[in-house]
Amino acid sequence: EDVVEKQSRLENVFYPKQRSAFPKLTVAATVQDAEAISQQLRKKWKLDDTPIDSLVEMLEDKGGFVVEYPEPGIQFDGLSGRADGRPVVVVNAESRVDRYRYNVAHELGHLMMTCPKVTPKEEEKLAHRFAATLLLNFSIRCSCETPLNETNSG
């Protein structure tokens, strides 16, 4: 029995009524789609414009699992999928803290989006945009950006 199956079985015993709060997959084809899906998730999970204190804790509170792969020297950032119908994120335990957090957000993007009309490389780009928008909330990011036609040249 693997880690996820054991954790799932224990949670079903101790918290039989707890269900996943993960929304259904949403189709994404553009970076704007990925940003919108990220913002919809923030709204659904009532994150507003606040920073996310613990991304791992948030995912687990919403019914997902985060598993660390502890093999030193293995070259991978993360992967995601479902086990027993529950969302699972596997991350490299050797990652720096900031990269670890970003990898979890990136894999969450894969769990939130389906991208049937884009290439695998484009899908990765969408997951990156989802992660960036989730971690640095879009409304905050937009308030810091100045359109190029409004910059002062003097």
Side-chain angles (χ1 to χ4, degrees):
E1 215 175 10
D2 71 357
V3 174
V4 174
E5 289 171 335
K6 288 178 183 176
Q7 186 171 343
S8 180
R9 192 167 36 88
L10 286 172
E11 286 189 7
N12 287 332
V13 168
F14 290 110
Y15 309 106
K17 295 181 182 182
Q18 182 181 9
R19 297 292 169 239
S20 174
F22 277 69
K24 294 186 188 297
L25 288 172
T26 303
V27 175
T30 67
V31 292
Q32 292 81 9
D33 292 341
E35 289 175 348
I37 293 165
S38 174
Q39 290 304 296
Q40 290 164 5
L41 183 67
R42 274 186 157 276
K43 186 175 183 178
K44 180 174 176 56
W45 286 356
K46 297 178 174 61
L47 298 173
D48 303 314
D49 287 341
T50 60
I52 301 167
D53 292 329
S54 172
L55 198 54
V56 171
E57 185 177 327
M58 181 187 72
L59 263 71
E60 291 176 343
D61 286 348
K62 301 301 181 186
F65 295 116
V66 177
V67 179
E68 291 185 345
Y69 190 76
E71 288 295 318
I74 299 295
Q75 290 279 331
F76 95 103
D77 293 320
L79 56 94
S80 55
R82 294 193 176 265
D84 290 333
R86 308 257 314 261
V88 178
V89 171
V90 180
V91 289
N92 187 337
E94 299 295 312
S95 299
R96 294 182 328 265
V97 173
D98 59 333
R99 184 64 196 198
Y100 183 101
R101 183 174 169 83
Y102 184 83
N103 292 341
V104 171
H106 176 92
E107 295 306 327
L108 177 59
H110 284 296
L111 291 168
M112 297 292 100
M113 300 183 295
T114 181
C115 307
K117 296 184 179 184
V118 301
T119 66
K121 186 175 181 176
E122 291 168 326
E123 182 177 351
E124 284 302 303
K125 182 178 178 181
L126 297 180
H128 283 300
R129 182 58 67 97
F130 175 96
T133 304
L134 183 71
L135 294 173
L136 180 57
N137 190 343
F138 185 74
S139 63
I140 294 169
R141 184 169 49 91
C142 284
S143 69
C144 297
E145 293 177 353
T146 303
L148 289 176
N149 61 356
E150 293 181 17
T151 58
N152 290 334
S153 58

